[in-house]
Amino acid sequence: MKFRGRALIEKDSHLHRVVLWPSGLCYSVDSGADLLGAAARSGIAVPAACRNGVCEICEARLLSGAALNTRNQREISIGERLMMCRTHALADLELEISAVMAAGNNQPRKVQAKVVDVRSISHDVYRVELEIPRRRELSFHAGQYLSVNLPDADPCYFSIASSPSEQSIELHIQASPDWVSAQKVIDALTSGQDVTLELPHGKACLASAPEKPVLLVAAGTGFAQMKSLVDYLRETSFNHPIKLYWGVRKHEDMYLRTLAQQWERDWPAFTFLPVVGDDEDNDWGGHHDQLVRAVLASGMDWKNVEVHASGSPTMVYTLMDALIEAGLPQEAFFSDVLEYAPR
């Protein structure tokens, strides 16, 4: 049996490359797998509602290559519309699907959120859980952040600590009498009132799983952004080494150390490396240097790694300069600091 002169695919699997336009995101798909499932395993969010029995949502247009409609066993023509959930690749493909966003290209919008839970998880850090109505209609990428907009106050920005696949939004907020704006947010959230959010923000994020090892570096509550990235990558087929360095001043500041240790036990590719100053005489600036030295000593191949960093501008730029000098390509270094505190 042939499809318009093309022989049936051999039983042995073969990987094909799929590029989605205009986002430019790409992933690999086995010849025996549907395009939608393979995209999900690569961490690419394609709109779909199959579990609700709704069709025609994961629609794309074939720009180049060859693909098979598995419902009627017909080869799809160039320019034709296809459903990714019932399409197999016969060759490398280029598809047009405007609903898929490149990293950081989601348009921020304001939404009302319901406070589900606020609890202290350390001496000065609170874990906040928020619920957003019609959550499926709001998309963000792993590693992005949001603002909490209180009446008569400037917006307060916090990293989203949850994966984009989670129904609720998780935040880690460091609040104390010295952090007046953050304390106001915690006071407002603890009251149980609804709160206005604006999201998503930030371009230092992931819209698909990288195809190289990943290094994550966090200082303090910068761990929240790293948690979003780790949770996201664990949901994909990502199998490259991933290392997390988490720097804090004192042991008690590492408020979710047990979670990071659990990741290391459960995920062979993951390594957790805590860096603790634990010295009353060591100022935070000095500890930044200690964190950077620990990262440099990791022995990674800096020409083949992607780095995500979250912390103060001083820490981030110190780390970036050191890694670039060690051989890291500048385009492989990601941090929100580069956007909100440019040199």
Side-chain angles (χ1 to χ4, degrees):
M1 179 179 180
K2 295 183 178 181
F3 302 118
R4 295 189 183 177
R6 182 183 300 275
L8 276 168
I9 303 171
E10 296 179 0
K11 291 183 179 179
D12 293 339
S13 63
H14 183 72
L15 287 179
H16 299 295
R17 194 74 167 161
V18 181
V19 182
L20 305 180
W21 297 108
S23 67
L25 298 178
C26 54
Y27 64 100
S28 296
V29 59
D30 191 286
S31 56
D34 67 84
L35 300 184
L36 181 63
R41 289 187 289 276
S42 296
I44 298 175
V46 176
C50 300
R51 284 177 293 183
N52 293 335
V54 179
C55 295
E56 316 305 322
I57 292 181
C58 60
E59 183 182 71
R61 188 166 67 91
L62 182 62
L63 300 179
S64 70
L68 175 72
N69 182 325
T70 58
R71 175 167 293 182
N72 57 23
Q73 298 297 297
R74 181 180 62 81
E75 189 172 331
I76 299 165
S77 302
I78 299 297
E80 186 179 347
R81 299 281 176 180
L82 57 85
M83 297 301 117
M84 295 180 65
C85 63
R86 55 175 187 257
T87 301
H88 287 183
L90 302 178
D92 291 349
L93 304 177
E94 292 188 59
L95 305 178
E96 180 184 61
I97 177 167
S98 59
V100 174
M101 297 289 179
N105 279 8
N106 328 59
Q107 290 302 309
R109 60 190 181 96
K110 290 185 178 180
V111 297
Q112 289 296 114
K114 179 180 178 58
V115 180
V116 176
D117 185 49
V118 179
R119 66 180 63 186
S120 173
I121 55 176
S122 80
H123 61 98
D124 64 351
V125 176
Y126 294 82
R127 179 189 179 277
V128 175
E129 184 179 351
L130 302 170
E131 188 177 88
I132 297 174
R134 304 176 71 168
R135 171 69 180 83
R136 292 173 63 92
E137 298 178 6
L138 177 69
S139 64
F140 66 90
H141 291 135
Q144 291 195 288
Y145 60 95
L146 56 72
S147 68
V148 177
N149 298 351
L150 300 179
D152 303 318
D154 292 333
C156 287
Y157 294 92
F158 304 102
S159 291
I160 300 172
S162 43
S163 164
S165 66
E166 293 293 326
Q167 289 304 300
S168 59
I169 300 289
E170 179 182 343
L171 307 177
H172 301 164
I173 299 180
Q174 185 175 23
S176 69
D178 297 331
W179 297 75
V180 177
S181 58
Q183 188 62 55
K184 283 183 178 180
V185 170
I186 288 298
D187 291 342
L189 297 177
T190 305
S191 70
Q193 70 184 54
D194 288 352
V195 63
T196 301
L197 309 177
E198 185 177 85
L199 71 160
H201 294 286
K203 299 186 181 301
C205 55
L206 292 177
S208 62
E211 297 181 331
K212 61 174 70 174
V214 169
L215 175 68
L216 307 176
V217 184
T221 52
F223 174 80
Q225 183 182 27
M226 303 307 144
K227 179 181 178 297
S228 176
L229 295 173
V230 170
D231 284 349
Y232 165 79
L233 288 174
R234 291 184 72 192
E235 298 166 357
T236 72
S237 56
F238 182 80
N239 58 4
H240 297 280
I242 175 170
K243 292 185 178 182
L244 167 64
Y245 284 84
W246 187 6
V248 295
R249 302 183 191 188
K250 300 180 180 180
H251 284 281
E252 57 265 32
D253 295 332
M254 200 163 283
Y255 55 89
L256 284 178
R257 178 196 290 260
T258 56
L259 176 62
Q261 291 170 333
Q262 187 65 47
W263 290 336
E264 188 169 43
R265 286 192 296 269
D266 294 345
W267 193 12
F270 183 84
T271 305
F272 171 49
L273 300 117
V275 182
V276 183
D278 211 15
D279 185 348
E280 292 291 343
D281 297 326
N282 183 24
D283 65 22
W284 193 227
H287 182 52
H288 284 162
D289 292 334
Q290 180 186 355
L291 178 58
V292 172
R293 288 197 300 273
V295 172
L296 286 172
S298 68
M300 299 192 76
D301 176 8
W302 299 117
K303 297 188 186 310
N304 184 43
V305 66
E306 181 168 310
V307 179
H308 290 258
S310 182
S312 72
T314 299
M315 184 280 281
V316 168
Y317 282 116
T318 300
L319 176 67
M320 183 179 73
D321 291 344
L323 293 183
I324 290 175
E325 184 176 352
L328 179 78
Q330 186 164 350
E331 61 272 15
F333 187 92
F334 298 89
S335 175
D336 290 323
V337 165
L338 308 183
E339 184 180 356
Y340 73 75
R343 282 173 165 168

